Amino acid sequence: TVAFDLDPAPGDPGPLKILAWTTTPWTLPSNLALAVGPDLTYAVVDLDGTRYVLGEATLAHYAAELGEATTVGTFTGAELVGRAYTPLFPYFADNPESFRVLAGDFIDTDEGTGVVHIAPGFGEDDQRVGNAAGIPLVVPVDEKGQFTPDVPDWAGVNVFEANPDIIRHLKAEGRVLRHETYDHNYPHCWRTDTPL
């Protein structure tokens, strides 16, 4: 779970960090948008002067990290849609129509924060939502599964091998609220039994 800085907007109760969930940190350098459920309620919680936005129904899941936080406001997902934010990495900062909050019909609060990071080159829902928003696709990974020079910090490194370094970098930047490992199915080639 990583924190993105939302750009200021009238009516905000101060600077806001929106908490997004991902099970694939290696896709974070390719982040181009965030998605929320337009009908969901999002809480603004204050923890020692830092204000985080996350799905209200997910607060109990984050009790260990946010247990002392107080709720200071709420938004509907629809109110968050269209908000701009600062990217975690500078690699695609000039990509048109990127770095804003989009509506996602697949967002729920069963896991994560109710906010999902979107890397359109690496997921079906991500690509569908990105295409609908007019976001040009970026795929900075080659046919060997290594980052291309578009991601200079990890160019030539296999994406799975880069995962720990990406996480360490984000932790050093104070962007990680929670780090845990998720095991889930991953598509493999039927001939070589290697990850796609």
Side-chain angles (χ1 to χ4, degrees):
T1 303
V2 293
F4 292 81
D5 293 332
L6 278 175
D7 288 0
D12 282 355
L16 300 175
K17 295 182 180 297
I18 188 166
L19 294 173
W21 186 64
T22 183
T23 60
T24 53
W26 66 266
T27 64
L28 287 168
S30 304
N31 169 268
L32 298 178
L34 299 173
V36 297
D39 298 327
L40 297 176
T41 300
Y42 290 83
V44 179
V45 297
D46 185 295
L47 180 65
D48 301 326
T50 302
R51 294 200 167 125
Y52 296 104
V53 178
L54 71 161
E56 187 174 56
T58 69
L59 286 172
H61 303 311
Y62 287 89
E65 295 83 6
L66 301 173
E68 300 297 316
T70 56
T71 300
V72 296
T74 60
F75 292 105
T76 64
E79 290 172 315
L80 292 169
V81 170
R83 295 280 305 258
Y85 66 90
T86 304
L88 295 176
F89 297 96
Y91 313 128
F92 304 103
D94 60 352
N95 200 52
E97 303 300 323
S98 299
F99 310 113
R100 55 194 166 104
V101 180
L102 307 175
D105 59 3
F106 54 93
I107 307 298
D108 62 37
T109 53
D110 294 339
E111 292 184 292
T113 62
V115 181
V116 174
H117 124 79
I118 301 294
F122 301 109
E124 182 179 356
D125 284 329
D126 298 40
Q127 187 173 22
R128 182 174 50 83
V129 170
N131 285 346
I135 296 173
L137 189 68
V138 299
V139 184
V141 175
D142 66 19
E143 65 280 351
K144 294 178 183 175
Q146 298 173 340
F147 281 110
T148 66
D150 292 323
V151 178
D153 293 316
W154 295 285
V157 179
N158 178 278
V159 295
F160 297 123
E161 292 170 11
N163 249 347
D165 286 339
I166 292 168
I167 294 165
R168 267 192 294 280
H169 171 82
L170 292 172
K171 283 183 175 180
E173 295 283 316
R175 296 288 172 189
V176 177
L177 180 75
R178 176 188 287 175
H179 172 216
E180 56 192 337
T181 301
Y182 285 88
D183 291 324
H184 55 75
N185 292 333
Y186 195 84
H188 283 66
C189 173
W190 63 273
R191 287 184 284 174
T192 63
D193 200 34
T194 55
L196 297 175

